[in-house]
Amino acid sequence: MKYLLVLFLFICSTITVTAQEKKPAGINYNPNAKKDTSKKSIRSAAVGKIGTANIRINYYSPGVRGRIIWGGVVPLDEVWVTGAHSATNLVIDKAFRIANKTIPAGTYAIFTIPSKNEWTFILNKNYEQHLTDDYDAKDDIIRLKVKPVTLSNPLERLQFFIEKGKIIVGWDKLKIEVPVTVSN
C-alpha cells in the first residue's frame, strides 16, 4: 500500500511540472501553434475591442506546412475566404467605419483578393457560406485596397488580430492591416 501511495504521488508531481511549462522568452507566442502537428485547419477566433465596440472574428486557421501559400495554396487575383472551410466572419456590437463608410453593428463575412502588390479587403453581408461557393459581389458592403507588409517572423498559421484600431490578417510572410473606427 505504501509503495502505491509513493508511486501515485510521483505521477501527480510529474503531471504538475509538465502542466506548468512556460512560454519561451523573446519569441512571439501563439497558443494555437504550440506543439502544432495538426494537418487540419483549426477553428480559431480573435476577440478584442476597438473603441467601445466588442469584436469577434471567427475563422478556420490553415497552416503553411512547407507549402507555397501566395500564388500556391491561395491563388492570386481571386476572391479568397481568408481562412478555410466556412466563410470567416466578423461580429461587432456597434456601428463602425472602414474607409469613411459607416457600417451597422452585425455579422459580416470577410473575404480578400490577394495580389502581388495590393490586396482587396472585402466585407460581405452573406456570412453563412462555405468557402467562396456562394460568394456574390452584389452582397459586398465595402471593398478596400490595402498594401501587404512583409513579416519579419513568418506565421505558421493564419491569424487575425484586433489591436490599436485595426483588424490585422497575417499568414506565412505577409500581413495586411485594415483601419477601423467606432463612434461613441
Side-chain angles (χ1 to χ4, degrees):
M1 180 70 173
K2 196 177 205 182
Y3 175 76
L4 288 174
L5 180 61
V6 171
L7 181 62
F8 175 76
L9 291 174
F10 175 75
I11 291 171
C12 287
S13 67
T14 304
I15 292 170
T16 303
V17 170
T18 304
Q20 293 177 356
E21 182 180 331
K22 301 204 184 230
K23 70 179 182 178
I27 294 177
N28 290 339
Y29 181 65
N30 174 4
N32 290 333
K34 187 171 186 178
K35 297 180 183 172
D36 184 0
T37 58
S38 177
K39 292 187 177 185
K40 296 181 180 179
S41 295
I42 299 170
R43 183 181 291 252
S44 300
V47 178
K49 287 182 85 86
I50 294 179
T52 58
N54 295 301
I55 302 171
R56 180 179 179 93
I57 300 171
N58 302 300
Y59 63 102
Y60 283 89
S61 176
V64 174
R65 299 190 330 264
R67 302 177 293 175
I68 295 170
I69 300 304
W70 310 115
V73 174
V74 178
L76 297 178
D77 305 312
E78 293 181 21
V79 175
W80 175 45
V81 73
T82 320
H85 309 303
S86 302
T88 293
N89 65 64
L90 167 90
V91 182
I92 186 166
D93 65 353
K94 302 256 190 295
F96 62 105
R97 293 177 67 79
I98 294 178
N100 295 322
K101 178 166 177 138
T102 300
I103 303 164
T107 305
Y108 302 94
I110 295 175
F111 294 97
T112 52
I113 302 173
S115 293
K116 191 169 183 115
N117 299 314
E118 186 175 64
W119 285 33
T120 303
F121 175 86
I122 302 167
L123 215 54
N124 185 281
K125 63 183 174 184
N126 183 6
Y127 63 90
E128 294 183 304
Q129 52 185 301
H130 178 261
L131 297 171
T132 57
D133 297 347
D134 298 322
Y135 173 78
D136 191 332
K138 75 174 174 45
D139 293 326
D140 290 351
I141 294 167
I142 193 162
R143 284 179 167 233
L144 176 67
K145 299 286 187 183
V146 293
K147 297 278 184 198
V149 175
T150 301
L151 292 169
S152 55
N153 294 317
L155 293 169
E156 174 61 27
R157 287 204 171 269
L158 172 76
Q159 286 186 268
F160 280 82
F161 303 92
I162 301 162
E163 55 187 51
K164 298 179 183 172
K166 297 177 198 164
I167 293 172
I168 301 167
V169 184
W171 191 24
D172 191 26
K173 298 172 187 148
L174 297 177
K175 74 173 180 176
I176 61 166
E177 298 181 353
V178 178
V180 176
T181 56
V182 174
S183 301
N184 293 329

